[in-house]
Amino acid sequence: MKTYRLTVFFIFCLMISLSSQLLIAQNNIFSDDILITPSVLKKVYNDDQVIALESRLIEVRDSNEKVEILIELGDIYCNRVNYQKAYTTYWSALALLDQNDNEILRASVYNGMGILYSLYNRNQQALKYYKKSLSINRRLDDTLAQGRLRANYFTIAVHYRYEENLTRAKIYLDSCVHIQKRQNYDGFYAEAEAAYHLMLEHQLDKAYKKFMVLHKELDKGINEPYKVVFYSLYGELFYKLKEYDLAISMYHKSIKYAFETKSHINFVPDTYRSLSDVYLTIGEHKKAYIHLDAASRLEEYLYSSKSLTNQFLLEINDTYKKREQEQQHVIALQEIQRIKQDKQILCLYISLLILFTLFIIVIIASRIKSLKKNHKLERVAMHERQELEKEQQNKILTIRNQELTQSTLQSIAKDEVLASVKEKLKVLQKQHNSKELKSVINTIKVNQDMSWLDFEHRFTNANKEFFENLKTKFPQLSNYDLKVCALVKLNFSAKEMAKLLGISPESATTSRYRLRKKLGIQKGIDLTNFINSI
């Protein structure tokens, strides 16, 4: 019995000792293990910077300047986990932008709203606002657009990384890096994110080398608040490498910078949980419990629906916040009355629109019918004109070919007479041996080649496309065959062809026969009709 009482007393003393140590640890924010508690957070809500901005907001009259201050305040509230004020501030900025639209500022507000929604794991809503901001910055064409696009790509890459969608995260991160290289921006943040990606892909050696290089650059003007993020990521790498002391050191640095810069405090609960995991791994269960408890308390304060600070955020909607809560009932009644009036006006507009549409349809249908009729008449008239023109051209061509045939035959007859006269003179000259007759004979020249050239020239002028069509359809035809085709087209007999070509009638007949074979004309088909159809 005595042993049992001693055991109970020992356990009681141990519990008191442990509780005292937890209480001391939670209130000792300047020790090696900084514990940021809800009471500590309340002290960073309204410092001199916030008070100065809030005072300036009251004095400023320019709407764009007001929006810029609201965006700056929203970002500060968000970093300092005063989400209620951040939400109110962003919606106030959007309300002002509805009166004086500024797309650059609107994109900034949308980005801030996306971050706020992501903190409450409303990922779809967050992504919607991120992409709204991205869409605006893509449309804008100014000197700073590339910098804003880079920030958009980086934010969305981090968003997808939190969703464990590394494929899409890498796409946006690559876009961010591409802009940095093209515009010569500082690439520290993207490089740190890329190093973390390597760690998630289990390429620990590459990730370690990259983080080592970046760690050396931390003191070269890197934004102090970002150190909260960097050391948290770096600590996770050391945890994966089982370098537990270094992991603990990095996590403590992250918490230290979060407290000092009053920024990225939303990282602290996760960092506490990571520290708890490390301590649990190395067997320091007391420290593991302390940090796990600190993480739970902070998360309860920051995100729980039971927290007084978050009751306002339970009804987040994508509509602008009403300026005065007491006017909501009046506004609702006015809205109902307006809706009724709008419905009546809408019905009237719809009726007028239907009548107007029917009237337009009737006019258009009548017009189309008239146009079709006119078009049909025009087509008929055009066809008739074309037929008439074709008929006239055929008549002209026939007349020209007839004239050509007649003149050619006359030329042939003339050549025959001259040839006959020349032969008779030659006989007389032989009988009388007269020099005068010999001189006369020499002046008489019968040149069949010149007669053919003249004929070909005149035939080609009258039938410009005839030889071209023949050569295209029957490339195997020789120049002699083309001559025969031209004479056949003009209905020359074999005898007339022989006189013009300077050959015998039998040769002319043979030429016609060979031409039929080359043209592939079957028996029963008239050669003249076939050639005239070309």
Side-chain angles (χ1 to χ4, degrees):
M1 185 68 177
K2 185 176 180 181
T3 304
Y4 173 74
R5 287 178 180 176
L6 286 172
T7 302
V8 170
F9 178 74
F10 175 75
I11 292 172
F12 178 73
C13 292
L14 182 62
M15 289 176 64
I16 291 174
S17 175
L18 180 60
S19 300
S20 300
Q21 288 180 23
L22 284 172
L23 185 63
I24 292 168
Q26 289 178 352
N27 288 287
N28 184 12
I29 59 174
F30 297 104
S31 66
D32 289 338
D33 289 350
I34 294 176
L35 292 180
I36 300 177
T37 62
S39 59
V40 172
L41 291 181
K42 292 176 183 177
K43 296 176 183 179
V44 303
Y45 278 170
N46 292 302
D47 62 0
D48 292 340
Q49 184 183 6
V50 174
I51 293 169
L53 284 171
E54 288 177 340
S55 301
R56 188 174 159 213
L57 184 65
I58 298 171
E59 299 169 358
V60 168
R61 291 291 175 265
D62 180 69
S63 59
N64 281 336
E65 193 173 352
K66 271 183 177 291
V67 172
E68 289 174 359
I69 296 171
L70 286 169
I71 292 171
E72 189 175 353
L73 274 171
D75 292 345
I76 293 172
Y77 290 143
C78 205
N79 274 320
R80 298 182 186 180
V81 293
N82 192 346
Y83 299 138
Q84 175 177 337
K85 279 196 171 183
Y87 176 75
T88 307
T89 303
Y90 285 136
W91 281 116
S92 299
L94 285 176
L96 282 173
L97 286 171
D98 278 349
Q99 300 169 17
N100 184 16
D101 201 11
N102 184 312
E103 290 294 280
I104 295 175
L105 295 178
R106 186 179 292 276
S108 297
V109 176
Y110 282 152
N111 198 61
M113 290 294 292
I115 293 171
L116 188 59
Y117 275 111
S118 68
L119 292 170
Y120 279 81
N121 291 324
R122 296 172 67 98
N123 294 335
Q124 291 302 316
Q125 287 291 91
L127 188 60
K128 183 182 81 171
Y129 281 107
Y130 287 146
K131 291 195 173 180
K132 278 185 175 183
S133 177
L134 176 64
S135 177
I136 290 171
N137 284 325
R138 277 176 174 167
R139 288 198 310 269
L140 296 174
D141 185 17
D142 63 293
T143 53
L144 300 176
Q146 294 297 312
R148 294 194 301 271
L149 269 177
R150 178 184 65 132
N152 283 138
Y153 288 136
F154 182 78
T155 306
I156 297 175
V158 173
H159 172 87
Y160 277 121
R161 189 250 293 169
Y162 272 113
E163 286 193 334
E164 299 182 356
N165 189 343
L166 289 183
T167 302
R168 293 199 67 83
K170 192 172 186 307
I171 291 171
Y172 283 94
L173 189 61
D174 287 344
S175 298
C176 176
V177 172
H178 177 69
I179 292 176
Q180 286 172 177
K181 289 179 179 177
R182 189 177 63 195
Q183 301 292 332
N184 199 26
Y185 286 115
D186 174 31
F188 185 89
Y189 307 131
E191 290 296 322
E193 186 67 16
Y196 190 69
H197 276 219
L198 290 172
M199 186 207 76
L200 294 176
E201 293 167 356
H202 306 291
Q203 300 183 51
L204 300 182
D205 289 341
K206 289 183 179 180
Y208 176 73
K209 290 176 182 178
K210 204 171 187 67
F211 267 117
M212 282 285 289
V213 173
L214 293 169
H215 193 201
K216 293 176 182 178
E217 296 179 10
L218 271 180
D219 297 326
K220 297 179 181 179
I222 300 301
N223 189 7
E224 287 290 309
Y226 186 72
K227 291 182 179 179
V228 180
V229 180
F230 179 82
Y231 281 118
S232 176
L233 302 180
Y234 204 11
E236 193 167 339
L237 173 65
F238 282 122
Y239 181 56
K240 293 278 186 183
L241 292 170
K242 297 183 180 180
E243 298 283 349
Y244 300 122
D245 290 340
L246 288 173
I248 291 169
S249 174
M250 295 302 121
Y251 286 139
H252 282 319
K253 283 185 177 182
S254 175
I255 296 167
K256 172 176 171 287
Y257 278 110
F259 179 77
E260 289 179 354
T261 62
K262 303 173 186 176
S263 179
H264 297 297
I265 295 175
N266 56 291
F267 270 77
V268 174
D270 288 338
T271 307
Y272 279 150
R273 287 189 183 280
S274 298
L275 269 170
S276 177
D277 291 340
V278 177
Y279 283 130
L280 190 63
T281 302
I282 62 178
E284 296 193 28
H285 298 89
K286 188 188 297 182
K287 288 186 177 182
Y289 173 78
I290 290 171
H291 288 89
L292 184 62
D293 181 65
S296 299
R297 286 172 180 272
L298 270 182
E299 285 183 342
E300 176 76 17
Y301 176 75
L302 295 176
Y303 305 117
S304 172
S305 61
K306 296 179 181 179
S307 172
L308 292 175
T309 60
N310 295 323
Q311 287 179 359
F312 175 79
L313 294 172
L314 293 177
E315 299 178 356
I316 290 181
N317 296 309
D318 292 336
T319 55
Y320 296 147
K321 179 179 175 290
K322 298 290 187 292
R323 292 179 180 276
E324 300 294 337
Q325 294 291 337
E326 63 272 11
Q327 293 181 358
Q328 286 185 0
H329 182 64
V330 176
I331 292 172
L333 291 176
Q334 290 176 348
E335 185 67 15
I336 291 170
Q337 185 63 28
R338 187 187 64 78
I339 290 171
K340 287 181 179 178
Q341 291 176 355
D342 287 347
K343 282 184 177 180
Q344 292 173 353
I345 294 170
L346 182 61
C347 289
L348 179 61
Y349 281 158
I350 291 173
S351 300
L352 291 172
L353 182 60
I354 290 171
L355 290 173
F356 181 73
T357 304
L358 290 173
F359 177 70
I360 294 296
I361 290 172
V362 170
I363 291 175
I364 292 173
S366 176
R367 181 62 178 163
I368 290 172
K369 187 176 180 181
S370 176
L371 288 172
K372 284 183 176 179
K373 185 177 179 181
N374 291 336
H375 181 63
K376 187 176 180 180
L377 292 173
E378 287 177 1
R379 284 173 60 190
V380 171
M382 184 183 294
H383 181 70
E384 290 177 351
R385 285 197 302 271
Q386 289 175 347
E387 289 295 323
L388 183 60
E389 288 175 359
K390 188 176 180 181
E391 186 178 347
Q392 289 175 347
Q393 288 175 357
N394 288 335
K395 286 180 180 179
I396 292 170
L397 181 60
T398 302
I399 293 169
R400 286 182 177 177
N401 285 337
Q402 287 174 354
E403 291 174 351
L404 176 59
T405 302
Q406 187 176 0
S407 64
T408 303
L409 292 174
Q410 289 174 354
S411 177
I412 292 170
K414 180 196 72 172
D415 288 342
E416 287 179 344
V417 171
L418 288 174
S420 176
V421 170
K422 189 173 182 180
E423 289 299 323
K424 289 178 181 180
L425 289 174
K426 282 182 179 180
V427 173
L428 290 173
Q429 194 270 335
K430 285 180 180 180
Q431 292 175 355
H432 301 288
N433 194 20
S434 171
K435 291 183 180 180
E436 289 82 3
L437 285 175
K438 188 175 182 179
S439 176
V440 171
I441 290 169
N442 289 334
T443 58
I444 297 173
K445 292 184 179 179
V446 179
N447 194 335
Q448 290 180 331
D449 290 337
M450 289 301 294
S451 297
W452 169 254
L453 290 173
D454 180 60
F455 167 82
E456 185 181 28
H457 176 70
R458 293 174 64 189
F459 179 84
T460 304
N461 285 338
N463 303 271
K464 292 183 178 178
E465 298 179 356
F466 179 71
F467 285 132
E468 291 179 5
N469 291 338
L470 270 176
K471 290 176 183 178
T472 302
K473 292 183 178 181
F474 306 102
Q476 71 275 20
L477 296 180
S478 64
N479 289 334
Y480 180 78
D481 294 329
L482 294 175
K483 291 180 182 181
V484 175
C485 287
L487 295 175
V488 171
K489 183 175 178 64
L490 296 178
N491 287 316
F492 274 58
S493 65
K495 185 178 179 182
E496 291 167 342
M497 288 172 59
K499 290 177 180 178
L500 184 60
L501 296 173
I503 59 177
S504 65
E506 291 78 10
S507 297
T509 302
T510 304
S511 297
R512 288 171 64 95
Y513 175 75
R514 288 175 179 170
L515 180 62
R516 288 179 66 90
K517 291 185 69 175
K518 286 188 177 182
L519 295 176
I521 300 173
Q522 298 177 355
K523 290 183 179 181
I525 298 176
D526 185 67
L527 178 60
T528 304
N529 291 336
F530 180 83
I531 290 177
N532 281 326
S533 67
I534 297 173

